[in-house]
Amino acid sequence: MDKTDETLISTIERAKAGNQIAFSSLLDTFWNDVYGFQLIRTKNENDAEDITIQTFSRAFDKLDSYDAAYEFKTWLITISKNLHVDLIRKRKRNVLDGTDSGNNEAIKKVLDDAPTAEDQLITDQNLAKLLQNIKQLKPHYQKVINLRYFNELSYAEIAKELGEPVNNVKVKLLRAKKLLAEIIKSKR
């Protein structure tokens, strides 16, 4: 086992223990792999992004079931592939049901009290520049940032407002903060 494998296993173990930084690290490390896989399958950026967000939400929910005998990336891609198949089935049945039966499951707490580097960058910006930068995000990211930081809604309140599971909201917010931080860094 080489050092990268050991680091990955260590990160997964920290994520299983609820460490937010470990979740962020896994998201950063594997986002492009899952998104690229879905972009090829769906040929649609929005579907690929939505399925990728759902993949990480599902994976973080079921992290305890991950078997280290298999590659983590393969496990994520399998989850992603199954979510895509489910989406195709739903579309074929032409069911327009926006509710998710998984909403009643217990939600894992993955909050970290310490602000992340992205949080610090966002806080350091003055409001006018920050609003200008937020407007560069895709509309669904703008909305989740506004609901969380300007309307000061909890994850549960945002989930209710958007009609999505809480874990999807957490992943979307995490991704929105990362993208916003990249925009801010690029302007420095």
Side-chain angles (χ1 to χ4, degrees):
M1 180 181 302
D2 67 11
K3 190 168 176 103
T4 352
D5 290 339
E6 289 176 17
T7 305
L8 177 60
I9 291 168
S10 167
T11 304
I12 292 168
E13 289 306 314
R14 288 193 329 268
K16 283 182 180 181
N19 182 306
Q20 182 66 39
I21 294 168
F23 281 112
S24 295
S25 176
L26 290 172
L27 183 76
D28 287 345
T29 304
F30 294 102
W31 176 271
N32 288 338
D33 293 321
V34 176
Y35 178 75
F37 173 77
Q38 281 304 330
L39 195 56
I40 291 168
R41 285 178 70 97
T42 64
K43 296 176 180 33
N44 178 310
E45 286 183 14
N46 290 330
D47 283 349
E49 195 167 287
D50 287 346
I51 293 169
T52 303
I53 288 169
Q54 289 173 23
T55 299
F56 282 98
S57 175
R58 176 90 40 95
F60 292 165
D61 264 353
K62 307 289 184 195
L63 201 54
D64 287 332
S65 71
Y66 169 67
D67 182 353
Y70 302 99
E71 280 199 45
F72 190 72
K73 178 179 165 183
T74 305
W75 184 67
L76 284 173
I77 295 294
T78 302
I79 292 170
S80 186
K81 182 174 67 174
N82 291 338
L83 286 168
H84 182 237
V85 169
D86 290 347
L87 177 71
I88 291 170
R89 284 182 185 146
K90 282 181 186 176
R91 286 183 177 168
K92 281 185 178 178
R93 280 183 285 192
N94 201 18
V95 175
L96 299 174
D97 183 20
T99 60
D100 189 318
S101 61
N103 282 347
N104 296 332
E105 291 181 21
I107 306 299
K108 288 186 178 179
K109 302 279 185 203
V110 290
L111 300 177
D112 186 12
D113 294 333
T116 64
E118 292 83 12
D119 288 334
Q120 193 58 47
L121 275 172
I122 291 167
T123 305
D124 290 343
Q125 294 294 307
N126 71 40
L127 188 59
K129 285 184 182 175
L130 181 59
L131 291 173
Q132 214 172 26
N133 292 332
I134 290 172
K135 286 183 182 178
Q136 293 181 35
L137 295 171
K138 290 185 178 179
H140 60 278
Y141 288 145
Q142 288 179 32
K143 186 166 190 168
V144 78
I145 289 275
N146 285 328
L147 291 172
R148 179 70 175 161
Y149 295 104
F150 295 102
N151 296 350
E152 297 181 354
L153 297 182
S154 69
Y155 290 125
E157 292 168 329
I158 295 170
K160 187 175 180 182
E161 173 87 17
L162 298 177
E164 294 184 15
V166 173
N167 281 330
N168 279 16
V169 169
K170 288 179 182 180
V171 173
K172 264 189 190 172
L173 188 60
L174 182 65
R175 185 71 178 148
K177 289 189 321 186
K178 296 248 181 247
L179 292 170
L180 184 56
E182 288 172 16
I183 290 169
I184 292 168
K185 280 181 189 173
S186 72
K187 291 188 174 185
R188 285 192 163 186

